[in-house]
């Protein structure tokens, strides 16, 4: 069940972070712990998501994720192992499955997908609304009970110790969250993981009870950091500075859209171009320049950026959605369907590619095909959205005319 929805979750968080070396290094740690866990044979997989949101989560079925926004702030490699061991623990104890049915999880995804859509109708010149970063986060809000958290914390200790890390470092993650809690942007992880001082003490007490030799020897022979980790994290923290500028540009973009004043987009475009120049291999920046150009009424120029972004990062939804929309505006039906299918594969829960394809079929008089796509929109879209209202209207019209689908 979790794996079925994993692509939509990941698409919400801008897909995989492009540093393949960092991904491989972190993945090995997580998969080693998963193999040492109580459920080694699940189809475990791990992704660093390219989102500034401070979060980590696991989906039932074995999909484990951490965001760039959390990873770059972790104190050391052992802390990474601890927090990922915690997430692996939620899966091995089947916490998400308890009291959470299939439809609840699907609704959570749809609620997240609808965030991008409802912003779509705010302004005509940003009609797609999946403007820069609007797809991000605020989505996976499965909450766990305090008991489940304690259980997962203990697995974080066990699993990180099993693969050779000092398990006491899990405590540093809670210290980090405690520090962030006082800051201006609340880590989303805190909304799903209750945090109190007891928790830090509980972890220390569990280590002392279960692994007294670790405390006695002060972690002798256990790993806390490695030169490889330090090197990869130095790269990440340096890239993170560019992402902070990108986040600021995103906020300025949202403000510009809200104001309805297209002149305010020029400085946003400039800021995004600067991000792209500093990290040319990062597809998010390439795509963002495309979105700004599209919003400034330059779809043909934007197209080149979207094509480039799509080739740089194959799991990024945004460029395919915009290429689909631009093809629709140009009356290029085959490109609409090609890009639409790619977009749907990346982000199956999002209604927008279905909506663009529906109107394309509709315009060609292929009403049965159009109806199937409109139905897919109705299943996915927020019922307050323009896409939903329009799709329902067309389906009723088809029905009245006796069209079958
Ligand atoms: Zn948890």
């Amino acid at each position: 069940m979790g794996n079925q929805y994993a692509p939509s979750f990941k698409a919400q968080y801008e897909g995989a972070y492009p540093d393949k070396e960092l991904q491989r290094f972190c993945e090995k740690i997580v998969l080693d712990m998963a193999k040492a866990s109580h459920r080694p044979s699940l189809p475990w997989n791990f992704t660093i998501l390219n989102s500034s949101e401070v979060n980590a989560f696991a989906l039932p079925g074995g999909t484990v994720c951490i965001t760039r926004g959390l990873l770059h702030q972790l104190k050391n490699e052992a802390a990474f192992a601890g927090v990922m061991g915690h997430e692996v623990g939620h899966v091995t104890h089947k916490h998400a499955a308890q009291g959470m049915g299939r439809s609840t999880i699907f609704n959570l995804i749809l609620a997240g997908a609808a965030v991008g859509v409802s912003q779509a109708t705010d302004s005509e010149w940003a009609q797609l609304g999946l403007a820069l970063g609007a797809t991000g986060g605020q989505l996976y809000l499965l909450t766990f009970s305090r008991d489940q958290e304690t259980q997962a914390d203990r697995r974080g200790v066990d699993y990180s110790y099993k693969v050779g890390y000092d398990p006491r470092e899990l405590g540093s993650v809670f210290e980090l969250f405690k520090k962030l809690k006082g800051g201006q942007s609340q880590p989303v992880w805190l909304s799903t993981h209750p945090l109190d001082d007891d928790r830090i003490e509980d972890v220390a007490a569990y280590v002392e009870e279960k692994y007294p030799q670790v405390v006695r020897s002060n972690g002798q022979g256990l790993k806390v950091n490695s030169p490889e980790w330090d090197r990869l994290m130095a790269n990440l923290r340096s890239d993170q500075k560019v992402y902070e500028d990108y986040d600021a540009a995103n906020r300025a973009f949202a403000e510009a859209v809200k104001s309805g004043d297209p002149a305010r987009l020029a400085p946003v475009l400039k800021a995004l171009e600067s991000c792209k120049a500093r990290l040319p291999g990062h597809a998010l920046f390439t795509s963002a320049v495309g979105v700004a150009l599209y919003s400034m009424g330059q779809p043909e120029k934007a197209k080149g950026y979207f094509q480039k972004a799509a080739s740089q990062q194959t799991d990024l939804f945004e460029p395919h959605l915009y290429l689909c929309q631009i093809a629709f505006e140009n009356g290029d039906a085959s490109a609409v369907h090609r890009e639409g299918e790619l977009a749907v594969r990346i982000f199956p829960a999002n209604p927008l590619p279905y909506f663009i394809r529906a109107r394309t079929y509709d315009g060609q008089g292929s009403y049965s095909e159009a109806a199937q796509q409109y139905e897919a929109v109705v299943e996915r879209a927020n019922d307050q959205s323009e896409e939903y209202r329009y799709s329902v209207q067309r389906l009723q019209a088809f029905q009245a005319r006796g069209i079958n689908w």
Side-chain angles (χ1 to χ4, degrees):
M1 178 178 77
N3 291 338
Q4 188 186 339
Y5 301 128
S8 291
F9 273 111
K10 291 180 187 175
Q12 290 273 330
Y13 288 90
E14 273 70 67
Y17 186 66
D19 185 339
K20 296 210 163 61
E21 229 190 328
L22 179 65
Q23 163 67 28
R24 268 195 303 273
F25 184 87
C26 293
E27 181 179 68
K28 186 179 182 312
I29 298 169
V30 175
L31 296 186
D32 282 352
M33 288 194 293
K35 276 177 221 145
S37 78
H38 302 90
R39 298 174 73 198
S41 57
L42 283 179
W44 293 96
N45 62 89
F46 167 77
T47 310
I48 301 167
L49 295 170
N50 197 5
S51 163
S52 293
E53 185 179 300
V54 180
N55 209 353
F57 56 81
L59 300 179
T63 293
V64 183
C65 299
I66 189 168
T67 59
R68 165 176 46 76
L70 173 56
L71 182 59
H72 83 92
Q73 302 194 71
L74 291 174
K75 192 177 161 206
N76 52 44
E77 193 177 330
F80 170 76
V83 70
M84 290 294 100
H86 170 103
E87 296 301 334
V88 168
H90 278 308
V91 177
T92 58
H93 285 288
K94 303 186 187 179
H95 286 158
Q98 291 165 16
M100 171 129 317
R102 179 194 180 84
S103 62
T104 318
I105 292 197
F106 193 56
N107 286 337
L108 279 170
I109 297 168
L110 295 185
V115 170
V117 183
S118 58
Q119 291 173 357
T121 49
D122 279 358
S123 154
E124 278 183 30
W125 52 273
Q127 54 189 304
L128 283 185
L130 274 170
L132 303 168
T135 39
Q138 301 293 328
L139 163 70
Y140 191 48
L141 298 175
L142 288 182
T143 47
F144 298 115
S145 71
R146 188 66 185 81
D147 283 350
Q148 288 174 324
E149 286 305 314
T150 302
Q151 220 171 18
D153 286 347
R154 291 177 174 195
R155 295 303 81 78
V157 167
D158 293 340
Y159 299 155
S160 62
Y161 176 76
K162 266 191 183 170
V163 298
Y165 291 100
D166 189 328
R168 296 174 299 176
E169 292 299 324
L170 175 58
S172 78
V173 180
F174 302 134
E175 297 288 359
L176 169 67
F177 280 117
K178 222 167 101 176
K179 195 182 87 195
L180 294 174
K181 209 175 165 180
Q184 45 175 235
S185 62
Q186 288 288 312
V188 175
W189 201 76
L190 285 181
S191 60
T192 60
H193 294 75
L195 179 70
D196 48 52
D197 281 331
D198 288 356
R199 194 155 171 189
I200 297 168
E201 286 160 27
D202 283 354
V203 166
Y206 180 69
V207 174
E208 197 154 352
E209 184 202 319
K210 183 124 185 245
Y211 307 102
Q213 71 283 8
V214 171
V215 181
R216 224 180 305 124
S217 69
N218 196 21
Q220 208 184 13
L222 294 171
K223 223 187 323 181
V224 173
N225 251 353
S226 63
E228 185 67 351
W229 168 269
D230 286 339
R231 186 180 66 78
L232 291 166
M233 291 306 279
N235 287 343
L236 177 64
R237 285 177 188 135
S238 144
D239 292 357
Q240 176 63 23
K241 293 199 179 73
V242 186
Y243 276 96
E244 277 159 22
D245 292 344
Y246 164 76
D247 291 339
N250 269 344
R251 288 191 292 272
F253 181 87
E255 286 297 311
V257 169
K258 224 158 103 196
S259 74
D261 175 8
R264 290 178 63 176
L265 286 172
V268 174
L269 175 65
K270 215 171 151 199
L272 292 169
E273 279 171 338
S274 148
C275 294
K276 184 182 168 293
R278 285 151 76 196
L279 288 176
H282 290 230
L284 225 53
F285 305 141
T286 314
S287 185
V289 170
V291 174
L293 286 168
Y294 178 85
S295 303
M296 293 166 87
Q298 302 177 46
E300 284 312 307
K301 208 169 164 196
K303 208 166 130 179
Y305 286 91
F306 291 130
Q307 282 162 342
K308 172 86 177 157
S311 71
Q312 284 177 314
Q313 187 184 328
T314 52
D315 67 347
L316 194 58
F317 173 70
E318 186 175 79
H320 293 292
L321 177 68
Y322 275 88
L323 287 170
C324 186
Q325 172 70 16
I326 292 167
F328 173 71
E329 290 164 12
N330 291 340
D332 182 351
S334 72
V336 166
H337 297 308
R338 186 182 65 237
E339 293 299 337
E341 276 169 19
L342 286 165
V344 161
R345 205 172 305 157
I346 294 167
F347 194 168
N350 192 293
L352 289 177
Y354 293 99
F355 188 57
I356 301 169
R357 294 188 69 195
R359 284 175 300 154
T360 303
Y361 281 126
D362 206 350
Q364 292 173 317
S366 306
Y367 298 126
S368 298
E369 286 87 351
Q372 286 167 18
Q373 300 292 322
Y374 282 128
E375 277 198 323
V377 175
V378 170
E379 282 166 22
R380 288 165 176 79
N382 180 323
D383 62 10
Q384 301 299 312
S385 70
E386 190 63 20
E387 298 79 37
Y388 181 90
R389 194 193 54 75
Y390 187 88
S391 299
V392 168
Q393 216 176 61
R394 290 303 291 154
L395 286 168
Q396 284 166 346
F398 292 158
Q399 217 155 23
R401 286 157 63 179
I403 291 158
N404 295 313
W405 65 85

